[in-house]
Amino acid sequence: MKCPYCKEVNPPQRAKCAFCGKSLTQSQGVDGDREPIQDHLALAVLVTLFCCQPFGLVSLVYAIQVNTFLVGGFYKEAKEASEKAWE
Ligand SMILES: [Zn+2]
């Protein structure tokens, strides 16, 4: 079995790579490394309604951007917008 991370060939039925130690059971690799993205949309709406409107509106705009990017498959852009939302 070929390790998706270091590309070394491991004996079959190994759970972990003998060379880099990473799990061989998740063969899709890259997607599994992604951390989940919070779009903060619900929170942004609440802040806008009950707290400070200028700050809430900015967060709302970013939260909507995050959703737009995620739908379009722009993971990096979505993550950046998500981080900007709660700076
Ligand atoms: Zn490896």
Side-chain angles (χ1 to χ4, degrees), residues 1-10 16-24:
M1 175 167 205
K2 203 170 166 187
C3 173
Y5 300 97
C6 66
K7 313 293 182 204
E8 296 285 350
V9 177
N10 285 272
K16 285 184 173 180
C17 175
F19 300 91
C20 67
K22 298 216 175 163
S23 171
L24 294 174

Side-chain angles (χ1 to χ4, degrees), residues 10-54:
N10 285 272
Q13 275 135 18
R14 276 194 69 104
K16 285 184 173 180
C17 175
F19 300 91
C20 67
K22 298 216 175 163
S23 171
L24 294 174
T25 50
Q26 301 175 299
S27 50
Q28 280 86 1
V30 186
D31 277 352
D33 287 342
R34 289 182 174 183
E35 49 187 300
I37 291 184
Q38 287 284 332
D39 64 16
H40 309 296
L41 186 56
L43 199 53
V45 171
L46 287 177
V47 169
T48 307
L49 290 179
F50 298 112
C51 186
C52 41
Q53 290 213 352

